[in-house]
Structures are given as structure tokens and as C-alpha cells.
């Protein structure tokens, strides 16, 4: 294969599931040492395309060529042997096994009929050093940080001889620093000739990292001329198929003079070290902090997730003692978890039930403990329309919806409880640009009407677009609170890092 030849060629590939056409005549070329990004709304066909390339789905029509070889007759394992590896968004390692055992992925070398642990740990240590991951190969995977776990998944692929690695949302829940570290890691492998298909909803990182960009929309592929001046706004429009206005918080939008709605004084727990903070009526308070800084722990404590050992919470002039999420909801406090799969959606329930379930103790409760089923359906249909949830019916199983629409269902469930304080923990992570802006727009409209919001995200561009004030956390406490007035991402990051470094001295 000459240097000019494509490593991967997708030619005229279509895929039909029943009456649904997921892909239509898709064409794509990727060369060795290229980072090629795939963009698209949830349900646009990205997963279908990469699953066909990896060998999980067969194409309905068309062909996939790798190093000049037609792959149609090869299954996923045979394609892995050729060098095609899929690294999924969700964790696929074995947390209770060591780093070395994960690298060898169950194919452990033996000596004299016994597992050769000495060789396993030695080879693993050499590969970890080669790829720049400084961890002990005997460490259990569950003890790794998020960024090291992502790197390990890539190293596992490289150990198996990967030539093309498909990265599906690899930066989800990573901090800006961890993302930058991952990009250095990926670029280093790129220089050695490894090709990557990079799937992300973060347009800024796509522009930063990519050699080529392809947008999928309604099952069709649209190439992006990266030689021209490409902006996030242009990519957003291509993804949505229409102009997308990035939602912006209006300056001075806090109604009613911004009176204090929630005041916390000297909160303590095993993760909090004397947090004192106020949240105003109609305000969006942005929360900034590294993992373990206390930022997420503070948000969860307000919702009754995490035992407080000391401190005072005063809400609307009334002292609160919250020991459970049910109590919090009853007091008008709702929380969206960063992990929608474990703490958000209820996969065995339909969309209707997922939206209504948090309202059972309140507006949907009837005499004798019965549930108002008619009222639940009206509630679900109302939020389906308001948040533009794409489903055939509110009776659809929740796991049949795309990730963006699942997140809209979670937002709907909490809004249906009529919260006075909404706590959002990475509310737009892993969802498409259009769904993200619709969720943000809804939150902004509600805060303009007086609802208070605490907004935690590692997407600092998004945070600066929506927050009125910023509270910086470190070592379990609030170290700085600033009005969000013309603060840039670089300035925000510098403040965060400066506070961290000051604490370490």
C-alpha cells in the first residue's frame, strides 16, 4: 500500500433496520496517521457507521476496505486481528483486574502450564512506559483516574496491534486538563502512524484535534473542507441541518434584585471542609473545581446524597435538614446526576414513567396512595413537546431513545416537580449540539422566571455562556467567588489552577 493509499475506505454503505434507513450511500476515506472526526446529532448514524466498520453490524449494501482488503466476510474478531479496534464511550475494562491483566485482555502467557506473571508485568511495564502512562502494572484498574483509564483502553488496543482506533466520546467527564493530556497522547500515537476515528459532541476539541471532519445527518455523510476557515458555529449548523444559535445568558438577567434564596454556612462532611456560599433567586451559579475538589460533593450534599456532619442550610429564610433525595424534592430542590446511565434513566420503565416518577409523592399522588395515570401522561406529553423529545410516543421504552433525548427526559422529570432550586451536574455531557442548546434555553427561561440554578460542568465555554457568578472549589471548600463579567476560558482556567497550586504549597 503506497503512502497515498487510504488505510480505510467505506464505499456506498447503507444500513436498514426494518423500516428505518440508518445510513444511506456512505463514503469515507481515512489514511494512516490521520485523526478523522465524526460529528452528528444522536441518532444521525455515527454509531451505525462505526459498528459496520468494526464488524458488529453487516452493511445492507456497500463495502468496507481495509489495507486493500474487502472486510465483508470478516467478523469483529477477525477485523481486530487486522488492526481495527473500537474503544467505546462507556467503561469496557475489568475494574477488579490489574492494569497488566487488562492489557493482555484474558490472553495470558504461560510457562510450564502456569500463568507467567513475571513476563506479563514486565511486558506491561514496558508498554506503559512506551506510551507514557506512569502507573504500576499491578494496580487495579478501579484505582486509576478517569484519564489514566481512558489511556489504558487505548494502550490495550495498541497492544493488540491496532492500526485504526475508533474513539467514541473519549473526553466525556474529563476535565480540560485531562482532555489536553489525552490529546497529547493521541497525537503521539498519530505520529507513529496510528489512525483514529474520533467521535465527539464538543466542537472546539474537534477543530483542535482533527485532520479531517465528516458530519452525519439523517444517515447521510457530508465532508467538511478543513482547508477553509471552519468555525464552531459553521459545524453546529452542519450538524443540525439549520442555523444553530448558541444560547447566551443575558447580562443582568437576575430578577427580583437577586435576593439570597439559599445560604449554606460552614458545611462539613468527609468531602467538604467548611463550605459557605449563597445562591440567589433567578441566578445561575457556575461551579468550578477539579474532581475531588468538593464541587460535585457539594452539589450532591444539597440533594441529600452524602452525609453532612456539621453546618447550616437556610432556604428562603427557613433552616433545612435534608437527609434524602425524597426530602430534597419535597422542599423544591432537584438534581441531575453527571451519570445518566447509573443515576438518571430507569431503563426498565417507559418514557412516560421516567418523566412522572419523581412527581408521585407530590402532584401525581391521589387519595389512598394511588397514582394519577391520566395526569402523568399529560405531564409527559407536555414536556415531550416543550423540550422537543424525539419519540414515537411517551409509551416508548426509555432505552429506545437517543442519548440526547434520554437527557431531555431526565430534565423533564425534574422540571415536572416544579423545583425552586435546580442542581445540574454535567447536564449536557455526551449529547448533540441541538439538544444541548434546547436544554440550556429551557434552563435560562426558567431562571428568568425566578428559579435558582447551580451549574457544574467541565465545559468551561458552556459555563461562561450561562453563569451569572462562578464559585471555585478546592480541598472541600469555596476558595473564590467571582461575577461572570467578560471572563475568558484562559482566565477561568488560570484562576482554577492558581487556587489549586496555592493550596498545594
Amino acid at each position: 500500500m503506497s503512502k497515498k493509499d487510504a488505510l480505510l475506505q467505506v464505499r456506498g454503505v447503507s444500513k436498514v433496520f426494518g423500516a428505518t434507513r440508518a445510513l444511506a450511500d456512505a463514503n469515507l476515506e481515512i489514511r494512516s496517521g490521520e485523526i478523522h472526526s465524526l460529528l452528528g446529532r444522536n441518532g444521525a448514524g455515527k454509531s451505525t457507521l462505526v459498528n459496520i466498520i468494526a464488524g458488529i453490524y453487516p452493511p445492507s449494501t456497500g463495502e468496507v476496505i481495509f489495507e486493500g482488503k474487502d472486510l465483508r466476510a470478516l467478523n469483529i474478531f477477525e477485523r481486530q486481528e487486522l488492526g481495527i479496534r473500537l474503544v467505546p464511550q462507556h467503561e469496557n475494562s475489568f475494574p477488579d483486574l490489574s492494569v497488566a491483566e487488562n492489557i493482555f485482555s484474558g490472553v495470558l502467557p504461560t510457562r510450564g502450564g502456569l500463568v507467567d506473571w513475571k513476563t506479563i508485568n514486565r511486558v506491561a511495564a514496558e508498554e506503559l512506559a512506551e506510551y507514557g502512562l506512569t502507573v504500576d502494572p499491578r494496580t487495579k484498574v478501579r484505582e486509576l483516574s478517569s484519564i489514566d483509564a481512558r489511556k489504558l483502553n487505548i494502550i490495550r488496543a495498541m497492544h493488540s496491534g491496532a492500526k485504526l482506533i475508533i474513539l467514541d466520546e473519549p473526553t466525556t467527564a474529563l476535565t480540560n486538563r485531562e482532555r489536553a493530556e489525552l490529546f497529547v497522547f493521541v497525537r503521539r500515537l498519530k505520529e507513529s502512524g496510528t489512525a483514529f476515528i474520533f467521535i465527539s459532541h464538543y466542537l472546539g476539541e474537534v477543530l483542535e484535534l482533527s485532520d479531517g471532519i465528516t458530519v452525519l445527518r439523517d444517515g447521510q455523510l457530508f465532508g467538511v473542507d478543513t482547508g477553509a476557515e471552519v468555525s464552531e458555529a459553521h459545524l453546529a449548523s452542519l450538524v443540525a441541518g439549520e442555523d444553530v444559535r448558541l444560547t447566551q445568558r443575558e447580562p443582568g438577567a437576575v430578577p427580583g434584585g437577586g435576593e439570597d434564596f439559599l445560604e449554606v454556612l460552614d458545611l462539613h462532611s468527609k468531602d467538604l471542609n467548611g463550605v459557605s456560599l449563597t445562591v440567589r433567586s433567578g441566578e445561575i451559579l457556575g461551579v468550578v473545581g477539579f474532581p475531588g475538589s468538593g464541587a460535585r460533593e457539594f452539589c450532591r450534599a444539597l440533594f441529600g446524597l452524602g452525609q453532612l456532619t456539621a453546618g447550616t442550610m437556610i432556604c428562603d429564610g427557613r433552616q433545612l435538614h435534608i437527609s434524602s433525595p425524597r426530602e430534597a424534592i419535597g422542599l423544591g430542590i432537584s438534581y441531575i446526576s453527571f451519570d445518566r446511565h447509573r443515576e438518571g434513566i430507569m431503563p426498565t420503565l417507559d418514557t412516560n414513567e421516567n418523566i412522572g416518577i419523581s412527581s408521585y409523592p407530590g402532584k401525581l399522588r391521589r387519595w389512598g396512595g394511588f397514582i394519577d395515570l391520566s395526569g402523568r401522561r399529560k405531564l409527559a406529553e407536555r414536556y415531550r413537546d416543550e423540550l422537543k423529545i424525539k419519540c414515537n410516543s411517551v409509551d416508548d421504552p426509555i432505552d429506545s431513545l437517543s442519548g440526547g433525548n434520554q437527557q431531555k427526559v431526565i430534565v423533564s422529570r425534574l422540571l415536572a416537580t416544579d423545583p425552586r432550586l435546580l442542581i445540574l451536574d454535567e447536564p449536557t455531557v455526551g449529547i448533540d449540539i441541538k439538544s444541548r442548546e434546547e436544554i440550556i434555553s429551557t434552563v435560562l427561561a426558567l431562571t428568568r422566571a425566578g428559579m435558582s440554578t447551580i451549574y457544574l460542568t467541565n465545559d468551561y465555554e458552556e459555563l461562561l455562556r450561562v453563569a451569572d457568578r462562578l464559585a471555585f472549589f478546592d480541598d472541600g471548600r469555596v476558595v473564590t467567588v467571582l461575577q461572570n463579567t467578560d471572563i475568558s476560558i484562559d482566565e477561568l482556567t488560570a484562576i482554577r489552577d492558581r487556587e489549586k497550586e496555592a493550596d498545594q504549597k
Side-chain angles (χ1 to χ4, degrees), residues 80 82-85 154 157-165 194-195:
Q80 287 177 355
L82 290 178
I84 299 174
R85 305 290 295 200
I154 297 174
M158 295 303 296
H159 173 80
S160 303
K163 299 173 184 176
L164 171 66
I165 298 177
T194 307

Side-chain angles (χ1 to χ4, degrees), residues 87-89 91 145-155 167 169-174 182 185:
V87 178
Q89 174 183 353
E91 189 59 59
S145 65
S146 296
I147 179 62
D148 285 345
R150 304 291 167 88
K151 288 182 179 180
L152 175 61
N153 282 336
I154 297 174
I155 290 173
L167 297 178
E169 299 284 355
T171 62
T172 298
L174 295 185
L182 181 65
F185 185 71

Side-chain angles (χ1 to χ4, degrees), residues 1-7 29-31:
M1 183 176 67
S2 71
K3 191 172 182 180
K4 293 183 179 180
D5 289 336
L7 175 70
E29 288 194 357
I30 297 174
R31 304 182 184 282

Side-chain angles (χ1 to χ4, degrees), residues 411-470:
V411 172
S412 298
R413 177 198 306 153
L414 300 187
L415 295 183
T417 66
D418 301 321
R420 301 181 66 194
L421 173 63
L422 185 61
I423 305 168
L424 304 176
D425 188 347
E426 296 290 1
T428 64
V429 68
I431 65 175
D432 62 78
I433 180 73
K434 186 73 172 177
S435 297
R436 182 186 74 185
E437 297 307 312
E438 287 168 348
I439 289 173
I440 292 174
S441 178
T442 298
V443 172
L444 291 181
L446 289 169
T447 53
R448 281 195 293 270
M451 184 182 74
S452 302
T453 302
I454 296 175
Y455 205 104
L456 169 61
T457 179
N458 282 301
D459 186 336
Y460 294 151
E461 178 186 355
E462 179 176 306
L463 189 65
L464 291 173
R465 285 200 287 121
V466 302
D468 299 296
R469 289 187 301 148
L470 301 170

